[in-house]
């Protein structure tokens, strides 16, 4: 598996957001520590997902950053992304691994030790664990698990754990202390007045 950056930026395609502008601000700061997860709204077309992912892959290349595509693995293959990420309602992890191949990065969502271990056994190379804190960027999420929930998962697995859900720079130290390898953010960058400055703050918190 290629090396995995510690800061995952999930594209925010809600009305009024500009995911590519946020990406362009974050890339020179985070460089290879940045992983961009291309996530689009459920009602977005495959063409829309493809066009966004193409632009993300192109933008990431000069900086050594990685691009993953959430949910739509055929788009990940079509644009030459480093891999993908699947959630609980997407393809099963084992099926996703067959689609992407043995060398791709494959993330899976988990929030408890048993589901985490099952995802790894099925072929996940890292886990997205959460939501850690309350968040408004995605509807229908279960209750937050907090740093203690992250610790329960990290204590049960050996692959990188990426904490997600309401993550801010201030929350990172507790998540790192709980064993998280890195964090995934949406609003912490997409809603920031200065995304480059916010990126630097998150990186400082991740490396302290």
């Amino acid at each position: 598996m290629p090396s995995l950056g510690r800061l995952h930026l999930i594209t925010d395609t809600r009305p009024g957001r500009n995911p590519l502008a946020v990406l362009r601000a974050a890339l020179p700061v985070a460089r290879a520590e940045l992983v961009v997860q291309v996530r689009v709204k459920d009602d977005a077309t495959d063409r829309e997902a493809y066009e966004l992912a193409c632009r993300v892959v192109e933008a990431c290349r000069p900086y050594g950053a990685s691009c993953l595509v959430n949910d739509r693995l055929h788009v990940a293959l079509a644009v030459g992304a480093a891999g993908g990420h699947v959630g609980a309602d997407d393809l099963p992890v084992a099926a996703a691994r067959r689609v992407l191949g043995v060398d791709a990065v494959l993330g899976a969502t988990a929030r408890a030790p048993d589901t985490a271990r099952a995802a790894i056994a099925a072929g996940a190379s890292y886990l997205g664990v959460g939501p850690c804190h309350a968040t408004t960027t995605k509807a229908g999420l279960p209750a937050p698990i907090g740093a203690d929930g992250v610790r329960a998962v990290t204590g049960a697995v050996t692959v990188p754990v990426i904490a997600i859900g309401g993550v801010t720079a201030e929350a990172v130290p507790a998540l790192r202390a709980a064993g998280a390898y890195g964090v995934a953010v949406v609003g912490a960058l997409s809603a920031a007045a200065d995304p480059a400055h916010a990126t630097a703050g998150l990186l400082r918190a991740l490396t302290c």
Side-chain angles (χ1 to χ4, degrees), residues 46-194:
D46 282 347
R47 176 62 67 88
E48 290 170 330
Y50 172 80
E51 290 177 351
L52 176 59
C54 279
R55 297 180 72 179
V56 169
V57 168
E58 182 179 358
C60 286
R61 189 175 293 115
Y63 296 96
S66 300
C67 173
L68 307 177
V69 178
N70 288 20
D71 312 339
R72 306 190 191 203
L73 302 184
H74 57 301
V75 174
L77 292 172
V79 301
H85 185 101
V86 291
D89 296 326
D90 303 319
L91 278 179
V93 176
R97 174 55 73 194
R98 289 194 295 272
V99 170
L100 291 177
V102 297
D103 296 326
V105 178
L106 175 58
T109 298
R111 56 185 276 110
D114 55 346
T115 55
R117 286 189 289 261
I120 295 165
S125 43
Y126 79 90
L127 298 173
V129 175
C132 302
H133 306 291
T135 177
T136 60
T137 58
K138 190 174 182 180
L141 294 173
I145 61 173
D148 287 342
V150 174
R151 183 176 292 107
V153 174
T154 61
V157 302
T158 58
V159 302
V161 166
I162 305 298
I164 183 172
V167 174
T168 62
E170 293 74 21
V172 169
L175 296 171
R176 290 281 286 138
Y181 172 82
V183 298
V185 299
V186 183
L189 291 185
S190 73
D194 185 342

